[in-house]
Amino acid sequence: MECVEIIVEEEQGDESQEFLQHLPTEIGMGGNLLYLYQGFWCPQVSIKGMMLFQQHFKAQETDLILASIPKSGTTWLKALTYTIVNRSRHSLEKSPLLTNGPHGVVPFLEFDVSSRNQFQEQDKLPGPRIFGTHSPYTALPCSVKDSATKVVYVCRNPLDMFISYWKFSVNIPKENEEHLSLGDAFDKFCQGLHGYGPFWDHLLGYWKASLERPDKVLFLKYEDIKKNNVLYIKKLANFLGLPFSVEEEEQGLIEETSRLCSFESMKNHEATRTGTGPLGIPASAFLRKGKVGDSLNYLTPSMVSRVENLIQEKLQDSGLSFCLSSAFQNNS
Ligand SMILES: Nc1ncnc2c1ncn2[C@@H]1O[C@H](COP(=O)(O)OS(=O)(=O)O)[C@@H](OP(=O)(O)O)[C@H]1O
């Protein structure tokens, strides 16, 4: 597979500053500055980390990369994957997930790394190492794309993802960022002006990769996991090469995993109540409502139909679809 040429050589020096100065910028739907990098709108806060990741991360064959566009179920996927992978290391009651939280046990590659040396330190960690990323598929390092490293992608219907994102940006005020009204934020979302947008291109990159290499890329939808949690925990474990044994199934380990990582349970984990997540944001902000269809409480019918038209236009012939009305009827 051909990989993109890397342009930035120095992670924190003037060269990268200069490089950034030449990229197009826009204010995104969260009121934050975005850079157009390799076809995607990357938040100022993570663009250098994303380039460092692309340039310096050396994947190991046993690595697991959890990918998503923000507000699509990243936190949940991290919790589930960490619990599946580490189930023989400690009992679920003593899981570090309870005290360190999903973002503590599964770091983000672009937020939590500020120098290339950190990747070298991570090289020494015992495998399987699990990392999260919001990078688009095309921006993943060659060592991830060209190796046996497994990638799990989670996406969510665009309406709920949009509302989750907008609520998050309104509730977490940041310096030098204005809050956009729902209508203005929605227009920006439809134009692809949000972290790692356009939404459609982000999804399609991983979707196509999952069709080409189903053994390497698993493509999941938030709504499916919500609807049939046990089935998807099994699917995830099988994909990771760590299937639940008959004894584990009989012991109810899948159901226990589901409960430990459920929205209600995670909301009460010590790490959520008292801890912080990426960028020092309170961990509780990453668990808001956890529902399918909450967006209908905020969006007008014309907004919904605009997104329905976009789904038709952007995903046509891809084999990927979102049936909003049935998803919203069958889930809660
Ligand atoms: N365990 C569990 N079960 C169900 N739903 C969950 C869970 N954990 C997080 N969430 C919901 O996911 C939304 C946050 O998305 P992300 O985790 O992708 O956010 S981030 O990208 O890491 O910032 C956000 O959705 P909304 O509640 O609709 O805002 C979270 O509540």
Side-chain angles (χ1 to χ4, degrees):
M1 192 180 294
E2 203 179 313
C3 277
V4 286
E5 192 185 336
I6 303 300
I7 308 157
V8 175
E9 290 298 335
E10 286 304 316
E11 60 270 33
Q12 297 296 331
D14 292 334
E15 283 181 48
S16 65
Q17 269 314 341
E18 173 148 1
F19 174 74
L20 291 182
Q21 276 170 19
H22 292 102
L23 295 181
T25 56
E26 283 280 355
I27 296 297
M29 63 161 271
N32 55 333
L33 186 68
L34 303 174
Y35 289 92
L36 185 63
Y37 178 64
Q38 298 182 348
F40 289 86
W41 290 103
C42 301
Q44 183 178 31
V45 70
S46 61
I47 183 145
K48 282 188 190 169
M50 186 174 142
M51 291 191 289
L52 274 174
F53 168 42
Q54 191 182 43
Q55 190 171 358
H56 298 294
F57 180 75
K58 297 275 175 290
Q60 297 173 7
E61 301 256 310
T62 53
D63 283 348
L64 306 172
I65 307 290
L66 309 182
S68 60
I69 196 157
K71 304 302 157 200
S72 299
T74 323
T75 309
W76 194 12
L77 180 64
K78 284 181 171 186
L80 287 169
T81 306
Y82 178 84
T83 305
I84 291 168
V85 169
N86 291 288
R87 65 186 191 268
S88 59
R89 292 200 183 151
H90 37 66
S91 66
L92 299 196
E93 302 81 60
K94 294 207 172 129
S95 172
L97 180 69
L98 298 165
T99 42
N100 299 343
H103 299 291
V105 292
V106 179
F108 271 117
L109 280 160
E110 60 270 25
F111 290 114
D112 296 336
V113 170
S114 55
S115 83
R116 69 171 78 172
N117 297 338
Q118 269 173 280
F119 290 128
Q120 280 152 17
E121 281 163 31
Q122 284 168 345
D123 286 346
K124 296 172 208 143
L125 294 174
R129 308 182 304 172
I130 317 174
F131 298 107
T133 182
H134 289 318
S135 288
Y137 188 78
T138 46
L140 290 180
C142 297
S143 68
V144 171
K145 286 192 279 193
D146 294 345
S147 67
T149 301
K150 288 188 191 261
V151 178
V152 183
Y153 184 76
V154 65
C155 73
R156 189 178 191 184
N157 77 77
L159 299 181
D160 286 344
M161 177 271 176
F162 164 71
I163 284 298
S164 181
Y165 194 127
W166 183 68
K167 281 281 181 188
F168 185 82
S169 54
V170 169
N171 291 337
I172 309 291
K174 295 202 203 86
E175 248 179 78
N176 305 325
E177 289 183 9
E178 54 172 313
H179 293 150
L180 270 63
S181 69
L182 180 65
D184 288 346
F186 183 73
D187 279 337
K188 296 246 183 200
F189 175 74
C190 291
Q191 294 166 53
L193 292 170
H194 52 93
Y196 311 91
F199 177 87
W200 321 98
D201 297 345
H202 203 281
L203 267 66
L204 284 172
Y206 283 93
W207 172 248
K208 287 177 186 156
S210 76
L211 297 179
E212 280 164 20
R213 294 189 63 188
D215 55 319
K216 181 182 172 67
V217 182
L218 178 68
F219 190 96
L220 299 173
K221 287 181 178 169
Y222 179 100
E223 296 75 20
D224 292 339
I225 310 175
K226 190 91 185 163
K227 197 165 154 190
N228 204 338
N229 204 225
V230 165
L231 177 74
Y232 279 87
I233 290 174
K234 271 188 183 185
K235 264 190 204 283
L236 183 55
N238 291 345
F239 173 78
L240 299 174
L242 299 165
F244 286 89
S245 66
V246 175
E247 295 74 41
E248 285 179 319
E249 287 211 27
E250 282 170 2
Q251 284 162 14
L253 204 54
I254 303 180
E255 287 76 8
E256 271 185 53
T257 302
S258 169
R259 271 194 298 277
L260 178 75
C261 301
S262 72
F263 180 86
E264 294 71 23
S265 159
M266 282 175 59
K267 197 84 188 150
N268 285 314
H269 290 176
E270 186 192 330
T272 309
R273 286 186 285 104
T274 59
T276 49
L279 308 170
I281 296 167
S284 57
F286 293 84
L287 288 114
R288 189 183 62 95
K289 283 194 183 171
K291 292 210 178 300
V292 175
D294 179 52
S295 52
L296 296 187
N297 296 319
Y298 300 90
L299 301 176
T300 63
S302 75
M303 287 166 148
V304 174
S305 93
R306 185 168 166 194
V307 170
E308 278 173 336
N309 290 338
L310 279 170
I311 292 175
Q312 286 287 330
E313 178 197 326
K314 304 285 185 185
L315 302 184
Q316 62 173 333
D317 302 331
S318 68
L320 176 62
S321 62
F322 289 99
C323 181
L324 299 180
S325 47
S326 72
F328 291 178
Q329 265 165 23
N330 296 335
N331 288 279
S332 59

Short mmCIF file of all heavy atoms in Angstrom, two decimals, residues 31-79:
data_model
loop_
_atom_site.label_atom_id
_atom_site.label_comp_id
_atom_site.label_asym_id
_atom_site.label_seq_id
_atom_site.Cartn_x
_atom_site.Cartn_y
_atom_site.Cartn_z
N GLY A 31 -16.37 26.04 17.51
CA GLY A 31 -15.82 27.38 17.77
C GLY A 31 -14.30 27.38 17.82
O GLY A 31 -13.68 28.38 18.16
N ASN A 32 -13.67 26.28 17.45
CA ASN A 32 -12.21 26.16 17.55
C ASN A 32 -11.55 26.25 16.17
O ASN A 32 -12.20 26.06 15.15
CB ASN A 32 -11.83 24.83 18.22
CG ASN A 32 -12.45 23.64 17.51
OD1 ASN A 32 -13.50 23.76 16.88
ND2 ASN A 32 -11.82 22.50 17.61
N LEU A 33 -10.25 26.52 16.19
CA LEU A 33 -9.52 26.66 14.92
C LEU A 33 -9.19 25.28 14.35
O LEU A 33 -8.71 24.39 15.06
CB LEU A 33 -8.21 27.43 15.16
CG LEU A 33 -7.42 27.78 13.91
CD1 LEU A 33 -8.17 28.81 13.06
CD2 LEU A 33 -6.03 28.31 14.27
N LEU A 34 -9.47 25.14 13.04
CA LEU A 34 -9.18 23.87 12.37
C LEU A 34 -8.19 24.12 11.23
O LEU A 34 -8.26 25.16 10.56
CB LEU A 34 -10.46 23.28 11.76
CG LEU A 34 -11.64 23.02 12.69
CD1 LEU A 34 -12.86 22.57 11.87
CD2 LEU A 34 -11.30 21.96 13.73
N TYR A 35 -7.30 23.16 11.00
CA TYR A 35 -6.37 23.22 9.86
C TYR A 35 -6.77 22.14 8.86
O TYR A 35 -7.05 21.00 9.26
CB TYR A 35 -4.95 22.89 10.32
CG TYR A 35 -4.31 23.97 11.17
CD1 TYR A 35 -4.41 23.95 12.55
CD2 TYR A 35 -3.56 24.99 10.56
CE1 TYR A 35 -3.81 24.93 13.32
CE2 TYR A 35 -2.95 25.97 11.33
CZ TYR A 35 -3.08 25.94 12.71
OH TYR A 35 -2.48 26.90 13.46
N LEU A 36 -6.74 22.51 7.59
CA LEU A 36 -7.02 21.50 6.56
C LEU A 36 -5.72 20.77 6.24
O LEU A 36 -4.81 21.31 5.62
CB LEU A 36 -7.57 22.17 5.29
CG LEU A 36 -8.01 21.20 4.19
CD1 LEU A 36 -9.17 20.32 4.65
CD2 LEU A 36 -8.43 21.97 2.92
N TYR A 37 -5.65 19.54 6.69
CA TYR A 37 -4.44 18.74 6.54
C TYR A 37 -4.79 17.44 5.82
O TYR A 37 -5.60 16.66 6.32
CB TYR A 37 -3.83 18.46 7.92
CG TYR A 37 -2.60 17.59 7.90
CD1 TYR A 37 -1.43 18.02 7.28
CD2 TYR A 37 -2.60 16.33 8.51
CE1 TYR A 37 -0.29 17.23 7.27
CE2 TYR A 37 -1.47 15.53 8.51
CZ TYR A 37 -0.32 15.99 7.87
OH TYR A 37 0.80 15.19 7.85
N GLN A 38 -4.24 17.25 4.67
CA GLN A 38 -4.47 16.04 3.87
C GLN A 38 -5.96 15.75 3.70
O GLN A 38 -6.42 14.61 3.84
CB GLN A 38 -3.73 14.85 4.49
CG GLN A 38 -2.22 15.09 4.49
CD GLN A 38 -1.42 13.93 5.05
OE1 GLN A 38 -1.95 13.02 5.66
NE2 GLN A 38 -0.11 14.00 4.86
N GLY A 39 -6.72 16.81 3.46
CA GLY A 39 -8.13 16.65 3.13
C GLY A 39 -9.07 16.61 4.33
O GLY A 39 -10.28 16.46 4.15
N PHE A 40 -8.53 16.75 5.55
CA PHE A 40 -9.39 16.70 6.75
C PHE A 40 -9.13 17.91 7.63
O PHE A 40 -8.00 18.43 7.68
CB PHE A 40 -9.11 15.40 7.53
CG PHE A 40 -9.64 14.18 6.82
CD1 PHE A 40 -8.88 13.53 5.86
CD2 PHE A 40 -10.93 13.71 7.08
CE1 PHE A 40 -9.38 12.42 5.18
CE2 PHE A 40 -11.43 12.60 6.41
CZ PHE A 40 -10.66 11.96 5.46
N TRP A 41 -10.19 18.34 8.33
CA TRP A 41 -10.09 19.51 9.21
C TRP A 41 -9.63 19.08 10.60
O TRP A 41 -10.39 18.48 11.35
CB TRP A 41 -11.44 20.22 9.28
CG TRP A 41 -11.78 20.90 8.00
CD1 TRP A 41 -12.66 20.47 7.06
CD2 TRP A 41 -11.23 22.13 7.50
NE1 TRP A 41 -12.69 21.34 6.00
CE2 TRP A 41 -11.82 22.38 6.24
CE3 TRP A 41 -10.28 23.04 7.98
CZ2 TRP A 41 -11.51 23.50 5.47
CZ3 TRP A 41 -9.98 24.15 7.20
CH2 TRP A 41 -10.58 24.38 5.98
N CYS A 42 -8.38 19.38 10.90
CA CYS A 42 -7.81 18.90 12.17
C CYS A 42 -7.76 20.02 13.20
O CYS A 42 -7.30 21.13 12.90
CB CYS A 42 -6.40 18.40 11.94
SG CYS A 42 -6.42 17.10 10.75
N PRO A 43 -8.21 19.75 14.44
CA PRO A 43 -8.18 20.78 15.48
C PRO A 43 -6.76 21.23 15.78
O PRO A 43 -5.82 20.44 15.76
CB PRO A 43 -8.79 20.09 16.70
CG PRO A 43 -9.52 18.90 16.15
CD PRO A 43 -8.80 18.50 14.91
N GLN A 44 -6.65 22.51 16.08
CA GLN A 44 -5.34 23.07 16.41
C GLN A 44 -4.67 22.29 17.55
O GLN A 44 -3.47 22.07 17.55
CB GLN A 44 -5.53 24.53 16.83
CG GLN A 44 -4.26 25.27 17.13
CD GLN A 44 -4.54 26.72 17.49
OE1 GLN A 44 -5.59 27.04 18.06
NE2 GLN A 44 -3.64 27.60 17.14
N VAL A 45 -5.50 21.87 18.51
CA VAL A 45 -4.98 21.23 19.70
C VAL A 45 -4.29 19.89 19.39
O VAL A 45 -3.46 19.42 20.16
CB VAL A 45 -6.11 21.07 20.75
CG1 VAL A 45 -7.13 20.04 20.32
CG2 VAL A 45 -5.59 20.78 22.12
N SER A 46 -4.64 19.27 18.27
CA SER A 46 -4.07 17.93 18.03
C SER A 46 -3.32 17.79 16.71
O SER A 46 -2.83 16.71 16.41
CB SER A 46 -5.19 16.88 18.08
OG SER A 46 -6.15 17.14 17.09
N ILE A 47 -3.22 18.87 15.95
CA ILE A 47 -2.63 18.67 14.62
C ILE A 47 -1.16 18.25 14.68
O ILE A 47 -0.72 17.36 13.95
CB ILE A 47 -2.84 19.88 13.68
CG1 ILE A 47 -2.24 19.53 12.31
CG2 ILE A 47 -2.25 21.17 14.22
CD1 ILE A 47 -2.96 20.08 11.14
N LYS A 48 -0.41 18.84 15.62
CA LYS A 48 1.00 18.44 15.69
C LYS A 48 1.13 16.99 16.16
O LYS A 48 1.95 16.24 15.66
CB LYS A 48 1.77 19.37 16.62
CG LYS A 48 2.11 20.69 15.96
CD LYS A 48 3.04 21.49 16.84
CE LYS A 48 3.17 22.89 16.32
NZ LYS A 48 3.85 23.76 17.30
N GLY A 49 0.28 16.64 17.13
CA GLY A 49 0.29 15.26 17.63
C GLY A 49 -0.06 14.28 16.51
O GLY A 49 0.52 13.20 16.40
N MET A 50 -0.99 14.71 15.66
CA MET A 50 -1.39 13.84 14.57
C MET A 50 -0.25 13.65 13.57
O MET A 50 -0.01 12.54 13.09
CB MET A 50 -2.61 14.47 13.88
CG MET A 50 -3.22 13.62 12.84
SD MET A 50 -4.71 14.45 12.27
CE MET A 50 -4.59 14.07 10.55
N MET A 51 0.48 14.73 13.31
CA MET A 51 1.60 14.62 12.38
C MET A 51 2.73 13.79 12.99
O MET A 51 3.38 13.00 12.30
CB MET A 51 2.07 16.01 11.95
CG MET A 51 1.04 16.71 11.08
SD MET A 51 1.64 18.21 10.27
CE MET A 51 1.78 19.33 11.62
N LEU A 52 2.95 13.98 14.29
CA LEU A 52 3.97 13.17 14.98
C LEU A 52 3.63 11.70 14.90
O LEU A 52 4.49 10.86 14.64
CB LEU A 52 4.01 13.55 16.47
CG LEU A 52 4.86 14.71 16.90
CD1 LEU A 52 4.63 14.98 18.38
CD2 LEU A 52 6.31 14.39 16.65
N PHE A 53 2.37 11.41 15.14
CA PHE A 53 1.89 10.02 15.09
C PHE A 53 2.14 9.46 13.69
O PHE A 53 2.71 8.38 13.51
CB PHE A 53 0.40 10.02 15.45
CG PHE A 53 -0.35 8.75 15.18
CD1 PHE A 53 0.19 7.50 15.47
CD2 PHE A 53 -1.64 8.79 14.66
CE1 PHE A 53 -0.52 6.33 15.23
CE2 PHE A 53 -2.36 7.62 14.41
CZ PHE A 53 -1.80 6.39 14.69
N GLN A 54 1.76 10.22 12.69
CA GLN A 54 1.88 9.75 11.31
C GLN A 54 3.35 9.51 10.94
O GLN A 54 3.69 8.58 10.25
CB GLN A 54 1.29 10.82 10.38
CG GLN A 54 1.11 10.35 8.96
CD GLN A 54 0.55 11.47 8.09
OE1 GLN A 54 0.99 12.61 8.18
NE2 GLN A 54 -0.40 11.13 7.24
N GLN A 55 4.20 10.36 11.49
CA GLN A 55 5.59 10.32 11.07
C GLN A 55 6.46 9.37 11.90
O GLN A 55 7.38 8.76 11.37
CB GLN A 55 6.15 11.74 11.19
CG GLN A 55 7.51 11.88 10.56
CD GLN A 55 7.92 13.34 10.52
OE1 GLN A 55 7.17 14.22 10.92
NE2 GLN A 55 9.11 13.59 10.05
N HIS A 56 6.17 9.28 13.21
CA HIS A 56 7.13 8.60 14.08
C HIS A 56 6.64 7.35 14.77
O HIS A 56 7.41 6.65 15.41
CB HIS A 56 7.64 9.57 15.15
CG HIS A 56 8.37 10.74 14.57
ND1 HIS A 56 9.57 10.62 13.92
CD2 HIS A 56 8.03 12.05 14.51
CE1 HIS A 56 9.96 11.81 13.50
NE2 HIS A 56 9.03 12.69 13.84
N PHE A 57 5.36 7.07 14.70
CA PHE A 57 4.85 5.90 15.42
C PHE A 57 5.25 4.63 14.67
O PHE A 57 5.02 4.50 13.47
CB PHE A 57 3.32 5.98 15.53
CG PHE A 57 2.71 4.81 16.26
CD1 PHE A 57 2.82 4.72 17.64
CD2 PHE A 57 2.04 3.82 15.57
CE1 PHE A 57 2.25 3.65 18.32
CE2 PHE A 57 1.46 2.75 16.24
CZ PHE A 57 1.58 2.66 17.62
N LYS A 58 5.84 3.71 15.41
CA LYS A 58 6.23 2.43 14.81
C LYS A 58 5.30 1.36 15.36
O LYS A 58 5.42 0.95 16.51
CB LYS A 58 7.67 2.06 15.18
CG LYS A 58 8.70 3.05 14.66
CD LYS A 58 9.12 2.73 13.22
CE LYS A 58 10.04 3.79 12.65
NZ LYS A 58 9.41 5.08 12.37
N ALA A 59 4.40 0.92 14.54
CA ALA A 59 3.43 -0.07 15.00
C ALA A 59 4.09 -1.42 15.22
O ALA A 59 5.01 -1.79 14.50
CB ALA A 59 2.31 -0.21 13.97
N GLN A 60 3.59 -2.12 16.23
CA GLN A 60 4.00 -3.51 16.43
C GLN A 60 2.84 -4.39 15.96
O GLN A 60 1.68 -3.96 16.02
CB GLN A 60 4.30 -3.76 17.92
CG GLN A 60 5.47 -2.92 18.40
CD GLN A 60 5.69 -3.00 19.90
OE1 GLN A 60 5.04 -3.78 20.60
NE2 GLN A 60 6.60 -2.19 20.40
N GLU A 61 3.16 -5.59 15.55
CA GLU A 61 2.13 -6.47 14.98
C GLU A 61 0.98 -6.72 15.95
O GLU A 61 -0.15 -6.95 15.54
CB GLU A 61 2.75 -7.82 14.58
CG GLU A 61 3.88 -7.68 13.57
CD GLU A 61 3.47 -8.09 12.16
OE1 GLU A 61 2.92 -9.19 12.04
OE2 GLU A 61 3.69 -7.31 11.22
N THR A 62 1.29 -6.69 17.24
CA THR A 62 0.24 -6.99 18.23
C THR A 62 -0.54 -5.75 18.66
O THR A 62 -1.45 -5.85 19.48
CB THR A 62 0.87 -7.63 19.49
OG1 THR A 62 1.91 -6.77 19.95
CG2 THR A 62 1.41 -9.02 19.20
N ASP A 63 -0.18 -4.59 18.14
CA ASP A 63 -0.87 -3.35 18.54
C ASP A 63 -2.34 -3.39 18.12
O ASP A 63 -2.69 -3.97 17.09
CB ASP A 63 -0.25 -2.13 17.86
CG ASP A 63 1.05 -1.71 18.50
OD1 ASP A 63 1.36 -2.21 19.59
OD2 ASP A 63 1.77 -0.88 17.91
N LEU A 64 -3.15 -2.70 18.91
CA LEU A 64 -4.57 -2.54 18.56
C LEU A 64 -4.85 -1.05 18.50
O LEU A 64 -4.58 -0.32 19.45
CB LEU A 64 -5.47 -3.18 19.63
CG LEU A 64 -5.17 -4.66 19.93
CD1 LEU A 64 -5.99 -5.14 21.11
CD2 LEU A 64 -5.44 -5.52 18.70
N ILE A 65 -5.37 -0.61 17.38
CA ILE A 65 -5.66 0.82 17.19
C ILE A 65 -7.17 0.99 17.17
O ILE A 65 -7.87 0.37 16.36
CB ILE A 65 -5.06 1.35 15.87
CG1 ILE A 65 -3.55 1.03 15.76
CG2 ILE A 65 -5.33 2.84 15.71
CD1 ILE A 65 -2.64 1.79 16.69
N LEU A 66 -7.68 1.83 18.07
CA LEU A 66 -9.12 2.09 18.14
C LEU A 66 -9.37 3.47 17.52
O LEU A 66 -8.89 4.48 18.04
CB LEU A 66 -9.60 2.07 19.60
CG LEU A 66 -9.19 0.83 20.39
CD1 LEU A 66 -9.76 0.89 21.81
CD2 LEU A 66 -9.64 -0.45 19.68
N ALA A 67 -10.07 3.49 16.42
CA ALA A 67 -10.21 4.73 15.66
C ALA A 67 -11.67 5.17 15.61
O ALA A 67 -12.59 4.34 15.64
CB ALA A 67 -9.68 4.53 14.24
N SER A 68 -11.85 6.48 15.50
CA SER A 68 -13.21 7.03 15.47
C SER A 68 -13.13 8.49 15.09
O SER A 68 -12.08 9.13 15.23
CB SER A 68 -13.86 6.94 16.86
OG SER A 68 -13.06 7.68 17.77
N ILE A 69 -14.25 9.03 14.66
CA ILE A 69 -14.38 10.48 14.60
C ILE A 69 -14.97 10.87 15.96
O ILE A 69 -15.74 10.08 16.54
CB ILE A 69 -15.25 10.90 13.38
CG1 ILE A 69 -15.07 12.38 13.07
CG2 ILE A 69 -16.71 10.53 13.55
CD1 ILE A 69 -15.41 12.75 11.64
N PRO A 70 -14.61 12.02 16.54
CA PRO A 70 -15.06 12.31 17.90
C PRO A 70 -16.57 12.18 18.09
O PRO A 70 -17.35 12.42 17.16
CB PRO A 70 -14.62 13.76 18.12
CG PRO A 70 -13.45 13.94 17.21
CD PRO A 70 -13.72 13.08 16.01
N LYS A 71 -16.93 11.78 19.28
CA LYS A 71 -18.33 11.68 19.73
C LYS A 71 -19.11 10.55 19.06
O LYS A 71 -20.32 10.67 18.83
CB LYS A 71 -19.05 13.03 19.54
CG LYS A 71 -18.35 14.17 20.24
CD LYS A 71 -18.24 13.90 21.71
CE LYS A 71 -17.12 14.67 22.36
NZ LYS A 71 -16.71 14.08 23.64
N SER A 72 -18.38 9.49 18.76
CA SER A 72 -19.02 8.36 18.09
C SER A 72 -18.99 7.07 18.90
O SER A 72 -19.39 6.02 18.40
CB SER A 72 -18.31 8.10 16.75
OG SER A 72 -18.43 9.22 15.93
N GLY A 73 -18.45 7.13 20.13
CA GLY A 73 -18.38 5.92 20.94
C GLY A 73 -16.96 5.50 21.27
O GLY A 73 -16.73 4.36 21.71
N THR A 74 -16.02 6.42 21.12
CA THR A 74 -14.60 6.15 21.41
C THR A 74 -14.40 5.64 22.84
O THR A 74 -13.73 4.63 23.07
CB THR A 74 -13.78 7.46 21.27
OG1 THR A 74 -14.31 8.22 20.19
CG2 THR A 74 -12.32 7.20 21.12
N THR A 75 -14.98 6.37 23.79
CA THR A 75 -14.79 6.07 25.21
C THR A 75 -15.30 4.66 25.51
O THR A 75 -14.65 3.87 26.23
CB THR A 75 -15.57 7.11 26.05
OG1 THR A 75 -15.20 8.41 25.60
CG2 THR A 75 -15.30 6.99 27.53
N TRP A 76 -16.42 4.34 24.94
CA TRP A 76 -17.05 3.03 25.14
C TRP A 76 -16.19 1.93 24.51
O TRP A 76 -15.92 0.89 25.13
CB TRP A 76 -18.43 3.07 24.49
CG TRP A 76 -19.38 1.98 24.84
CD1 TRP A 76 -19.26 1.04 25.84
CD2 TRP A 76 -20.63 1.71 24.20
NE1 TRP A 76 -20.35 0.23 25.84
CE2 TRP A 76 -21.19 0.61 24.85
CE3 TRP A 76 -21.31 2.31 23.14
CZ2 TRP A 76 -22.45 0.09 24.47
CZ3 TRP A 76 -22.54 1.80 22.76
CH2 TRP A 76 -23.10 0.70 23.42
N LEU A 77 -15.76 2.15 23.27
CA LEU A 77 -14.93 1.16 22.58
C LEU A 77 -13.62 0.92 23.34
O LEU A 77 -13.15 -0.21 23.44
CB LEU A 77 -14.63 1.63 21.14
CG LEU A 77 -13.77 0.69 20.30
CD1 LEU A 77 -14.46 -0.65 20.08
CD2 LEU A 77 -13.43 1.34 18.96
N LYS A 78 -13.05 1.99 23.89
CA LYS A 78 -11.83 1.84 24.67
C LYS A 78 -12.08 0.93 25.88
O LYS A 78 -11.30 0.02 26.17
CB LYS A 78 -11.32 3.20 25.15
CG LYS A 78 -10.64 4.04 24.09
CD LYS A 78 -10.17 5.36 24.69
CE LYS A 78 -9.29 6.16 23.75
NZ LYS A 78 -8.73 7.36 24.38
N ALA A 79 -13.18 1.20 26.58
CA ALA A 79 -13.50 0.42 27.78
C ALA A 79 -13.72 -1.06 27.43
O ALA A 79 -13.18 -1.96 28.10
CB ALA A 79 -14.75 1.00 28.46
#
